[in-house]
Structure formats: structure tokens, C-alpha cells
Amino acid sequence: SSQDQAVVAIDLESHGFKKVASGKVREIFEVDEHTLLFVATDRISAYDVILENGIPAKGALLTQLSAHWFALIHEQLPSLQTHLVSTSLPRDTRIPDEIRALLDRRTMQVRRYPILPLESIVRGYITGSAWSEYKAKGTVHGMPMPTGLQESQKLEKPLWTPSTKAEAGEHDENISPERAAEIVGEEVARKVEEVSLKVYELAHDYAQARGILIADTKFEFGLDPATNEIVLVDEVLTPDSSRFWPADQYEVGRSQVSYDKQYLRDWLTSSGNKGKQGVAMPPEVAQETAEKYREAYSKLTGQQWS
Ligand code: ATP
Ligand code: MG
């Protein structure tokens, strides 16, 4: 059925919507001056390349998982503004029924903000690029760290480790908190750090109680021009924006199996397709990957994905 088909492109431009941006996963359209349609497709990327085919329902799952986190954040940190307006579609007569069916559950209406040019990363465990830097220099994003840390070790306290937001095709660059303050200003940087650590800590404890370790995650923030307050935007705390580890397989001193993309990455490597453009996953790779996303969703929300 059409439900089993991955949606890798969404055309609203021919229905009169202006496209604001197209990322690796999302398509963003303008509803009105203040509001965007934030649409997650079923596209998936690995090793910085977007696969030809997608993972059926992945976009809807990411959107619903983000919505779940936004609800928890609104409840536990009521003073933090977020961009979420609604998880339903606007009553915009320009959207034909067949497109409505494609957008359903994968779309959020969000308030549009100028975006701070920072990726606000929080790390609770030392892995990935932070582990590489630590091994080479004993620092993480330029910050001196205690000696003797092991790969994947839980940090004494979560660290705010910002990076630049690279243009399409470029790589983000890890930067120090001091450099971040030069980019967005001292006061804004301090707020972004404080809020990011709070959201990470509440999410980490929530997820750990449900069998998932959030090793690290990336937030983005906008700035409300009316109040000069920071606003949490983008997707939040999904497997695409975070490293999720199965808690029962966690072991210090080695790299961990990534929750979602491990099967795909292993297949890309063993089939000689790693880093190549225009590669399509075989059905079993797409199915295994879809299953991991569903598992993360059901552990975190307590509900089966359907
Ligand atoms: P990737 O996440 O794959 O690295 P990406 O982040 O560039 O790529 P997507 O996740 O597909 O792309 O699209 C999200 C884009 O939308 C980001 O560039 C983000 O900064 C922007 N964005 C998120 N929320 C808002 C908002 N409320 N207003 C304006 N732009 C937003
Ligand atoms: Mg993104």
C-alpha cells in the first residue's frame, strides 16, 4: 500500500507554497509570514550521503518523537519557549487531499525564527569526534579534560560542546564555548548552554529509565526578536539528532553499537558502497533499520509505533 512506500520528496511548490529550505531529511515551506510547515521526509543519510530510497514512515516517527519530547519539555521547563505551534496541518485550501495524506503525522507547524549559527551539542559520554580529539590532545572542543578517560565513559558532568553550522556539503567544526560566545555573544551563549544542559539532563534521565542512553545530542535555537529570548527549534532528541545507545549493552572502553544506523552502516561498508552517491538499500536493510527506529520510539514513548 502507499503506507509502505517511503516518501523521499514532497512537492508543495506547485501548490503555491514557497520552499524555505531543503535539508538532508526535512523540507520546509512557508505557510504565512510567521509560520513554517516543517516536514520530515523518509530520507536517511549515512556517512554524509543521502540514500536513494528511504525508510517508510521514518519521517512521521521522527516528528511524533519530537512532539513527545516537546510536550515533556513544556511540562518540565515551562519557561522555555519552543517553535512548536501544532502537530496538525493548517486548514489551507491550497493543500490537495492526496498531499495531505503524505504530510499527515510527518509535519509540524512551527514559528519561524532567525536561527543562531551554532549547533548546540551536549555530551554526557565521550565518543565520536570528542573521543578522537581527547585521544590526540587530551582536550574536548579545546577544553582540558581529566587524564585516563576511556572510550564511551560517562562524563562526570555533561559538557556543552558547540559546533559551527556548516553550509550544505561542508562539515561542522567543533568549537570551544569561548568561540561560541564570540559568535553569538556572551549572554546568548550562556543561555544556550544553560538551557541545553537542562534539556539534555531531563531527557537523559527520562530515557535511561526506559532503557536508552542518550550519549549526546544536538539542539538548535532561534532568537525571538520581540523579547531577545532563545527559542528551542528544529527536531529534538531523535535518533537522527542524537546518539542513542541500548542501555543493556553499554560497556565502557569500546565503541557502542549505534541504535539506528548501525545495520545500514555495516551494509554500506561490507558492500563497498560507503560514501558513494546514488546508492539504494536492499529491502532487508531498510526493514532492519525501520525496526530500530520503531524500537527507540516505543521505548521512549511507551507506545507501539503504528
Ligand atoms: P541535517 O540535520 O541533516 O544535518 P539540516 O539540519 O541542514 O541537515 P534538516 O534537518 O533537514 O536539515 O532541516 C532543518 C533546518 O531547518 C535546519 O537548517 C534548521 O536550522 C532549520 N529550522 C529549524 N527550525 C526552524 C524554525 N523554527 N525557523 C526557521 N528555521 C528552522
Ligand atoms: Mg537537522
Side-chain angles (χ1 to χ4, degrees):
S1 75
S2 65
Q3 302 270 314
D4 307 325
Q5 214 81 55
V7 174
V8 294
I10 298 261
D11 171 27
L12 279 173
E13 285 170 298
S14 64
H15 303 286
F17 289 85
K18 184 177 162 205
K19 191 191 274 198
V20 174
S22 174
K24 286 200 278 289
V25 171
R26 284 175 185 75
E27 303 286 337
I28 303 168
F29 303 94
E30 196 175 278
V31 179
D32 60 43
E33 204 190 331
H34 302 295
T35 319
L36 301 174
L37 269 193
F38 197 64
V39 186
T41 69
D42 294 332
R43 295 195 290 260
I44 188 165
S45 66
Y47 300 120
D48 278 338
V49 177
I50 301 170
L51 281 288
E52 279 294 296
N53 51 343
I55 305 292
K58 171 176 175 278
L61 192 149
L62 293 182
T63 297
Q64 297 306 314
L65 184 56
S66 285
H68 180 80
W69 286 116
F70 276 123
L72 191 78
I73 291 164
H74 290 150
E75 186 188 295
Q76 299 205 10
L77 293 173
S79 63
L80 173 60
Q81 271 193 79
T82 79
H83 72 157
L84 179 61
V85 173
S86 168
T87 50
S88 31
L89 295 172
R91 280 181 223 273
D92 193 309
T93 51
R94 292 175 295 174
I95 312 174
D97 285 348
E98 67 275 16
I99 306 283
R100 267 181 192 276
L102 289 181
L103 294 175
D104 187 40
R105 304 223 298 162
R106 66 175 71 248
T107 305
M108 295 196 277
Q109 293 187 68
V110 303
R111 195 151 174 103
R112 182 177 200 167
Y113 292 101
I115 302 298
L116 294 174
L118 278 188
E119 311 254 335
S120 182
I121 299 165
V122 178
R123 301 173 188 271
Y125 301 74
I126 186 162
T127 183
S129 63
W131 174 243
S132 304
E133 181 185 329
Y134 177 75
K135 271 191 302 182
K137 297 194 250 172
T139 56
V140 169
H141 290 236
M143 294 178 276
M145 297 295 289
T147 54
L149 292 181
Q150 290 183 273
E151 184 168 15
S152 305
Q153 188 170 337
K154 189 175 187 189
L155 298 166
E156 200 182 325
K157 271 191 187 164
L159 271 187
W160 185 57
T161 54
S163 77
T164 59
K165 238 172 100 64
E167 302 293 314
E170 307 276 301
H171 283 284
D172 297 338
E173 186 196 339
N174 287 351
I175 56 176
S176 65
E178 289 71 33
R179 178 73 195 118
E182 286 168 14
I183 297 171
V184 298
E186 197 73 60
E187 199 185 324
V188 169
R190 220 180 326 107
K191 280 189 204 161
V192 168
E193 171 172 13
E194 187 195 343
V195 165
S196 298
L197 288 169
K198 270 194 198 156
V199 178
Y200 172 78
E201 278 164 19
L202 86 82
H204 175 271
D205 293 353
Y206 176 95
Q208 185 170 30
R210 289 159 179 81
I212 290 179
L213 298 180
I214 304 178
D216 50 39
T217 195
K218 180 204 83 173
F219 301 112
E220 291 194 39
F221 290 87
L223 205 55
D224 186 339
T227 61
N228 227 28
E229 285 302 315
I230 60 167
V231 183
L232 181 61
V233 302
D234 209 49
E235 63 176 336
V236 284
L237 298 157
T238 69
D240 280 13
S241 65
S242 321
R243 277 197 179 87
F244 287 175
W245 293 338
D248 60 359
Q249 288 163 45
Y250 174 65
E251 218 176 89
V252 169
R254 59 162 171 82
S255 70
Q256 313 296 303
V257 172
S258 123
Y259 216 96
D260 46 322
K261 290 184 187 170
Q262 199 61 45
Y263 202 87
L264 172 58
R265 290 193 187 125
D266 290 349
W267 175 77
L268 285 167
T269 306
S270 64
S271 63
N273 283 309
K274 179 176 170 176
K276 285 190 188 157
Q277 300 284 344
V279 172
M281 299 165 273
E284 73 273 14
V285 175
Q287 274 156 28
E288 287 288 339
T289 305
E291 179 50 32
K292 296 312 277 183
Y293 276 85
R294 287 196 292 265
E295 201 178 306
Y297 177 89
S298 64
K299 284 193 166 163
L300 291 171
T301 65
Q303 315 221 291
Q304 283 301 111
W305 175 257
S306 61

